[in-house]
């Protein structure tokens, strides 16, 4: 079945550092890929998405590129802020099932 | 446009009791999905309702059930509560069935259920 593997956290960075959160997936067909963010005490918010190979999703300085050859969708940001502290979820939705499959989430802590 | 709302936000119950959680989707959204979020298992899909019909179901026991009303509002019920049911229950709505290229899910803030 479909699955998503994320790097375990927490990831702890200083403000303005470069961020990478790794995400790899297993799916049948050609899934759509998503990154969601969950701030403390809130529900998940869609951060960015990509629907086909080589697409790059971007939002609020975050980027991720759909790499079919490595089945990856790594999240990056060039300069993190304290306000980026949250839990980040990688997810996929494949054509065979419309139910999104989520990774376990990666906690990001950014210090001033 | 108002977002997805969930009530109550916090709930404390004891083992053996039952509980009903409510979700009001974004206006115009016809799909409502429910998820259970725990530190140990992460985010797990419970079920999805679309136009008052359950369209998809995750791997949860029959104690977990739901329904959707004609105005797309949804309720989730858990009977005979167990300690392991303590979790954050998230509701998400979308215009059409969840997933796919265009049916982005919008999540509510969740209901924190504690079973003592």
């Amino acid at each position: 079945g479909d699955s998503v593997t994320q790097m375990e956290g927490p990831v702890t960075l200083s403000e303005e550092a470069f961020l990478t959160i790794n995400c790899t997936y297993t799916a049948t067909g050609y899934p759509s890929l998503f990154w969601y963010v969950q701030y403390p005490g809130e529900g998940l918010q869609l951060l960015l998405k990509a629907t086909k190979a080589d697409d790059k999703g971007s939002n609020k300085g975050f980027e991720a590129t759909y790499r079919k050859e490595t089945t990856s969708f790594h999240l990056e940001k060039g300069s993190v802020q304290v306000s980026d502290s949250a839990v980040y979820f990688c997810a996929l939705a494949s054509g065979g099932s419309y139910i999104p499959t989520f990774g376990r989430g990666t906690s990001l802590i950014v210090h001033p | 446009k108002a977002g997805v709302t969930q009530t109550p936000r916090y709930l404390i119950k004891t083992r053996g009791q039952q509980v009903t959680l409510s979700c009001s989707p974004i206006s115009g959204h016809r799909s409502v999905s429910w998820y259970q979020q725990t530190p140990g298992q992460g985010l797990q899909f419970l079920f999805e309702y679309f136009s008052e019909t359950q369209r998809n179901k995750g791997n949860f026991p029959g104690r977990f059930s739901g329904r959707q009303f004609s105005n797309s509002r949804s309720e989730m019920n858990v009977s005979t509560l167990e300690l392991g049911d303590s979790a954050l229950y998230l509701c998400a709505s979308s215009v059409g069935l969840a997933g796919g290229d265009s049916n982005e899910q919008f999540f509510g803030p969740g209901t924190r259920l504690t079973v003592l």
Side-chain angles (χ1 to χ4, degrees), chain A residues 77-97:
Chain A
K77 186 176 185 183
S79 176
V80 294
Q81 306 300 311
V82 172
S83 58
D84 293 327
S85 298
V87 180
Y88 292 82
F89 293 88
C90 184
L92 69 84
S94 65
S97 166

Side-chain angles (χ1 to χ4, degrees), chain B residues 26-44:
Chain B
I26 292 172
S27 177
H29 286 196
R30 295 169 65 192
S31 167
V32 173
S33 297
W34 289 89
Y35 295 85
Q36 182 194 65
Q37 186 178 20
T38 60
Q41 299 297 320
L43 201 65
Q44 295 185 287

Side-chain angles (χ1 to χ4, degrees), chain A residues 20-47:
Chain A
T20 299
I21 300 179
N22 291 337
C23 170
T24 57
Y25 67 89
T26 303
T28 53
Y30 302 97
S32 294
L33 301 174
F34 308 85
W35 276 101
Y36 286 85
V37 58
Q38 185 177 33
Y39 297 103
E42 299 182 12
L44 276 70
Q45 302 174 27
L46 180 64
L47 182 59

Side-chain angles (χ1 to χ4, degrees), chain A residues 32 34 36 38 41-46 49 51 87 89 93-94 97-100 102-104, chain B residues 9 35 37 39-43 45 48 56 88 90 98-102 104-105 107-109:
Chain A
S32 294
F34 308 85
Y36 286 85
Q38 185 177 33
E42 299 182 12
L44 276 70
Q45 302 174 27
L46 180 64
K49 68 178 182 182
T51 58
V87 180
F89 293 88
S94 65
S97 166
Y98 285 103
I99 305 305
F102 288 88
R104 296 293 295 271
Chain B
R9 291 294 308 276
Y35 295 85
Q37 186 178 20
Q41 299 297 320
L43 201 65
F45 170 76
E48 178 186 20
N56 292 288
L88 180 67
L90 293 169
D101 288 354
S102 60
E104 175 186 344
Q105 288 191 308
F107 284 79

